[in-house]
Each structure stands twice: as C-alpha cells, then as structure tokens.
Amino acid sequence: MDLFDYAFMQRALLAAVLVGLTAPAIGTYLVQRRQAIMGDGIGHVAMTGVALGFLLNTSPVWMATAVAVLGSVGMELIRSRGRTSGDVALALLFYGGMAGGVMIINLAPGGSTANLNTYLFGSITTVSPEDLTAVVVLALLVLAVTLGLRRQLFAVCQDEEFARVTGLPVRLLNLVIAVTAAVTVTVAMRIVGLLLVSAMMVIPVAAAQRLTKGFGATLAGAMVIGVVVSLAGTVTTYYVDAPSGAAIVLLAIVVFLVLSLAATPLARRRARGTAPSPEDVASCTLDEGKTGTAASPTNHD
C-alpha cells in the first residue's frame, strides 16, 4: 500500500480508472461499426498536437485534443463519401500527422523526439496535476456522450439507413462518435500512449464479447475489464521500470486469451443444449415417411 503515499501514483491511478472507463466505452461503438483501427489513426494525428504544444509552450494535452478533433472530423467526412480514394486520403492523414509531429517537436526550443516517448507509450510519472484536470474534464465528457446517447449511437452503428428512416440525425451522430473517439485518445495518451490507445478501445470489448451477447452487457463488461487491466498495469509499472501502456495492453491481451479459453467449452455446452435430440430426429423422420411432409402443429380455431 506504500504506492498510495506518492502523489504521482495517486494521479496515475485516478487517470488509469478514467482511461479504463472511457476507452472501452467509445471502443464498443467503433467495434460495432467495424472501425476498430480508427483510434490508431487519431493517435497518429494527435502527435502533431503534442508537438505543437511544445512549440507554442502550451498544454500538450489540450493542443492534442484540438488537433485530434479536427483530424477525426476529417476522417469522418472522408468515410462518409465512401469513395475508393478514401483509403489513400486516410493514409495521408495518418502518416502526415506522425511526420508533422516529429518535424515540429524538433523545431521546438530544446525539443527532440525523446520528448514524445512519454506520449507515445505512456508514463505514470509524468501525469501532472494540470494533466489530471484535463483528463478528468475530458473523461466526464466522453462518459456523458457514450452513456447518455447510447441508444442513438447504437442505432447509427447498427444500421445507418434504418436510423435515418427513423429520423435520427445520422451525420451529426457520426461526427459525435468521431469527436468522442478523438477526445478519448487524448485522455488515454498519458497512461496508455498514443500508439497503444487503440488496443484499449478494442481488446476489452473483444474480451467482453466472449462472454456476453447483448450490446449493453458488452459495454458494461468492457468497461469493467478496462478498469481492471488499467489499474493492474499501472501498479505493475510502479514495481517494474517499463512503460505503463505496454503493461496495460499486455494484461488486456492476457484477459482476452483467458476469457476466450473459458468461453469455448461454454459455447459448446450451449450448442449441445439447443441441438435436437436423436429421439426428436427419429420422430420427425417417421412423420415425414407417413405424410410425405415434416410434422407441423395443427391450427385450431
């Protein structure tokens, strides 16, 4: 319990809880609409924002938030057009963001690519009080959107055409998902890192899906798994000199593998429970032989 005596660990653990809640929350929607890689692309773009923060001597977190939001809006506009050249445009946006970040950080006074390491892979010792304030504000915003609008966002992720017919503002909700994903990236970059934040959006959701069926259960299960692995990874980093993002993601993968192994026999038992018995098959065969058609219940007025 001595780790709670240090202020930096208190900030890191609180930030880890917020990351564990927010990343799987928005990740559930991204996985539902098959955009699991979107977080990785936003992380590349956010690198430019971090570098601009160093260059302009402002908060890298808030600057990364602004740049990531603009980048996510651009990604959504490219996606909505549905053109073949959209993949090329997204690639230019992703790698342009990374290259821009490396270039700008070297132009900053006293800056170098070493300054980006804590943002790329996470570091529990660098969560300042100012960073924690920004993380809390942004995390509350993400949770308000992902939980408060869960019905509308699920409808859009499940079937855009049906959602449009029912009168939902599909384009606006798509932009809300993209912007919320961008904000989540900046929430998680201090703990998980820009290059690994996408894993926290996807792996807890995939792990929860091994044991759950409904969307609500998957959302809740993913958030629980996210909090557990984030806290466990942060505590592990306290004792092991390693980036917190790597520890958290590796633990998330372990949880996914364990739940996958546990879910396999459960799925087999469920399949055996719903399969017809040999007696039912034999009875159906006899009925078909007598009547020439499959047995069916008789309708009575």
Side-chain angles (χ1 to χ4, degrees), residues 17-108:
V17 171
L18 296 175
V19 170
L21 290 173
T22 55
I26 187 61
T28 305
Y29 299 100
L30 297 179
V31 171
Q32 183 71 24
R33 66 191 302 176
R34 295 176 177 84
Q35 288 184 323
I37 203 66
M38 185 176 183
D40 188 50
I42 296 175
H44 285 66
V45 176
M47 285 182 59
T48 298
V50 173
L52 283 174
F54 282 101
L55 180 64
L56 302 177
N57 197 24
T58 60
S59 171
V61 175
W62 289 113
M63 188 61 68
T65 302
V67 174
V69 167
L70 291 176
S72 65
V73 171
M75 294 178 202
E76 177 56 32
L77 293 177
I78 294 172
R79 186 197 70 85
S80 62
R81 292 180 179 179
R83 297 178 180 175
T84 306
S85 60
D87 291 340
V88 177
L90 288 176
L92 291 174
L93 188 62
F94 294 170
Y95 299 119
M98 178 178 287
V102 173
M103 180 63 69
I104 293 173
I105 194 65
N106 283 281
L107 296 177

Side-chain angles (χ1 to χ4, degrees), residues 6 25 82 152 164 197 210 226 229 234-235 271 292:
Y6 300 97
Q152 294 86 340
R164 187 174 288 107
V197 64
R210 306 302 296 173
V229 298
T234 303
V235 173

